[in-house]
Amino acid sequence: MIKKISGWFWKALLWFFGLSILSVIIFKWVPIPVTPLMITRIIEFKIDGDVAIYSHHWVPLEEISPNLQKAVIASEDGNFLKHSGFDFMAIKKAFKNNTKGKKLKGGSTISQQTAKNVFLWQGRSYVRKGLEVYFTVLIELIWGKKRIMEVYLNSIEMGNGVYGAQEAARHWYTKKAIDLNIKEAAGIAAILPNPRKFKASNSSTYINSRKDEIMRAMSYIRKIEY
């Protein structure tokens, strides 16, 4: 019996590694149509008795303003172009803040957020965090920074039922993602901690303050070269 269970376990493990690596290879070129978070949100709408909102349109990175690319780096991951998936200084700082009882922060990089958004479920657990590390290593090795940024900006939640840069630009500013100026890009980046609560346009004092901080940080980011 133990031998059978052991055999099933190793077979399941091999299947997991094979399918996970294959999926990462496929998504290096194929646009990602839907993520686990998108499905979760649609289910939540249905449970609450609301009309499901799903607004998502994939565009290549060349059709997303460099301003938005700089804004999310300034806001979410200042060392994105330098690290190999994990910013250990940010993780150390987050750990110190968390142990001091300050507001919980994860220290997650854009690469880690992308791995989580595309391949995993939401929530906090050691299992999910371990899988996040695994997929982060895979996408760093197989995709590279340019593809990670492209997937990130096409997949993340940027409003209530709004996913990706193209739909966020249309939703908040009635324009295309390529046409976002510095202030508009900073506005979208500013709401990413909670895009269903905050507004990128007609924003609160708090978000306007975050926009100013992000724009100041953007001024130190040179032309992005992947």
Side-chain angles (χ1 to χ4, degrees):
M1 185 66 178
I2 294 175
K3 273 190 174 183
K4 276 189 176 181
I5 293 172
S6 177
W8 289 337
F9 171 78
W10 287 110
K11 282 181 182 178
L13 201 62
L14 286 172
W15 272 103
F16 167 74
F17 283 122
L19 290 174
S20 61
I21 293 170
L22 179 61
S23 65
V24 172
I25 291 171
I26 290 171
F27 286 136
K28 179 178 174 66
W29 293 283
V30 176
I32 295 156
V34 67
T35 67
L37 177 61
M38 295 175 192
I39 295 170
T40 299
R41 292 287 186 248
I42 290 172
I43 293 170
E44 288 174 352
F45 279 123
K46 294 289 187 182
I47 290 173
D48 293 337
D50 297 326
V51 176
I53 304 170
Y54 174 74
S55 184
H56 180 231
H57 180 74
W58 183 283
V59 292
L61 191 62
E62 289 73 22
E63 294 180 25
I64 299 175
S65 171
N67 289 323
L68 186 56
Q69 298 175 48
K70 286 184 179 182
V72 295
I73 290 173
S75 172
E76 299 293 301
D77 185 3
N79 292 316
F80 172 67
L81 295 171
K82 299 176 183 177
H83 62 63
S84 57
F86 307 95
D87 188 338
F88 294 105
M89 290 299 292
I91 293 171
K92 187 177 179 181
K93 185 178 178 181
F95 179 75
K96 281 185 176 179
N97 286 335
N98 294 344
T99 54
K100 288 178 182 177
K102 295 182 180 179
K103 186 177 179 181
L104 287 176
K105 294 182 179 179
S108 292
T109 63
I110 285 174
S111 302
Q112 287 174 270
Q113 291 179 48
T114 304
K116 178 189 72 176
N117 289 339
V118 174
F119 298 104
L120 302 170
W121 63 95
Q122 301 299 303
R124 294 171 179 267
S125 71
Y126 288 114
V127 172
R128 204 227 65 193
K129 201 66 182 176
L131 290 171
E132 180 185 302
V133 170
Y134 168 71
F135 278 106
T136 298
V137 172
L138 280 186
I139 64 175
E140 280 281 342
L141 288 172
I142 296 172
W143 288 1
K145 295 295 186 183
K146 183 177 180 180
R147 180 60 175 175
I148 289 171
M149 178 61 76
E150 183 174 60
V151 172
Y152 177 76
L153 288 177
N154 274 288
S155 302
I156 57 172
E157 192 173 32
M158 293 179 167
N160 193 24
V162 177
Y163 305 94
Q166 187 77 331
E167 288 304 306
R170 184 194 63 78
H171 177 78
W172 295 115
Y173 304 112
T174 62
K175 58 171 57 178
K176 293 180 180 179
I178 191 64
D179 297 323
L180 291 169
N181 62 35
I182 292 172
K183 188 172 183 179
E184 291 163 345
I188 291 174
I191 67 170
L192 293 184
N194 195 338
R196 294 198 295 168
K197 176 183 177 181
F198 299 123
K199 295 181 179 180
S201 60
N202 299 316
S203 309
S204 64
T205 302
Y206 168 69
I207 291 299
N208 284 330
S209 176
R210 273 187 55 80
K211 288 181 190 179
D212 292 338
E213 289 177 9
I214 291 168
M215 284 190 286
R216 282 195 294 271
M218 287 169 68
S219 67
Y220 294 101
I221 300 175
R222 297 180 181 179
K223 181 180 178 182
I224 298 175
E225 295 180 357
Y226 295 104

